[in-house]
Amino acid sequence: MKILSLGSLNIDLVYSVSHINLEGETLSARERETKQGGKGLNQSVALARAGAEVYMAGCVGPDGEELVRTLEDSGVDTGLIRRLEEPSGHAIIQLADSGANSIIIYGGANRKITPEMIDETLARFGPGDYILLQNEISNVDYAIRSAKERGLKVAFNPSPISEELPAYPLELVDVFLLNELEGQTLSGAASEEGSRVLAALAGKFPGAAIVLTLGDKGAMYHGGGQELTCPAHKVPVVDTTGAGDTFCGYFLACTMAGMEPQKALETATRASALAIGKKGAAVSIPTLAQVKNAAFV
Ligand code: RIB
């Protein structure tokens, strides 16, 4: 079973600051680093490091070769990535001393993905395969519909939230991987509280499995008649960028490999705990051996 990860590749410009910039404030950054990221790239790396057979599709510009190399170094098949004249997508990330972040993304080549490109890519996949999507590229709604028509299982991380998101054919999604704010937006739940959001999502999308991440409160799962929870590990926070992506990639790779959802939640929780202990997005994603060998208190 293989997985097509159709998503964004970003050059992350990471500014280390004392705190997240306030409205009207001018803030001096201590350091600026360039790293590889984008939710699509990060989740592809996490899938591959967790042992899945991953094919990444997306678009980069002439400045995107390092992004492609990062994927290849992690064992992701990059043969479906297109090179365009448009610059690659990028993200401006403020990384505060607390480990919290604030991110602005510029779509660039990520927003040049057309229905024709999606069809050509999907022609390589069929029933039994998975597609994983986030919300940083163009034509996500088309990709959900086309993938489903071809018999793929659709996993969707609806991040970041956009105005168009509620109009996507979300009833076709097989697995949602999302945080409480995204869950609240999609379900219309009256509160951001995990169990209420999970119940509202389950009511709205009865055919889908739902994986809800709750930051330092852990994660929850609803699907196949089961409702599960998993607490987070208490670890020092260096950088939360990419922790959610690590969770998504690990959870999916584990369940695709036949792991029970409870065990997959635990493995993804361990992986994301390791990711927040290291600076950067893709670079902070641990290998399966590191996840297995990690000792948490
Ligand atoms: O989820 C983290 C990612 O969000 C960063 O790597 C950045 O590129 C943005 O897409």
Side-chain angles (χ1 to χ4, degrees), residues 6-8 39-40 43 105 111 133-141 156-166 168:
L6 171 60
S8 57
K39 294 183 196 304
Q43 292 179 23
I105 52 169
R111 304 290 309 174
L133 296 154
Q134 313 79 26
N135 197 26
E136 287 187 337
I137 59 167
S138 45
N139 290 301
V140 172
D141 49 349
F156 184 40
N157 169 224
S159 181
I161 295 168
S162 64
E163 269 176 29
E164 316 86 64
L165 189 59
Y168 290 175

Side-chain angles (χ1 to χ4, degrees), residues 8 10-12 36-39 42 90-91 93 103 105 136 241-242 245 281-282:
S8 57
N10 287 338
I11 298 167
D12 285 356
Q36 291 73 47
K39 294 183 196 304
N42 298 337
H90 74 263
I93 302 180
I103 304 179
I105 52 169
E136 287 187 337
T241 315
D245 299 330

Side-chain angles (χ1 to χ4, degrees), residues 30-66:
R30 262 196 322 275
E31 191 181 17
R32 195 197 94 160
E33 292 168 275
T34 302
K35 297 197 179 277
Q36 291 73 47
K39 294 183 196 304
L41 181 149
N42 298 337
Q43 292 179 23
S44 299
V45 168
L47 282 160
R49 292 192 181 159
E53 183 184 343
V54 196
Y55 297 77
M56 172 132 201
C59 294
V60 292
D63 52 353
E65 289 310 315
E66 193 57 38

Side-chain angles (χ1 to χ4, degrees), residues 193-203 208-212 214 219-230 261-262 265:
E193 204 256 307
S195 53
R196 290 188 184 216
V197 172
L198 191 67
L201 285 166
I210 296 155
V211 186
L212 189 65
L214 306 168
M220 302 178 86
Y221 172 88
H222 179 102
Q226 299 186 83
E227 195 152 317
L228 309 169
T229 58
C230 179
Q262 181 68 51
L265 278 184

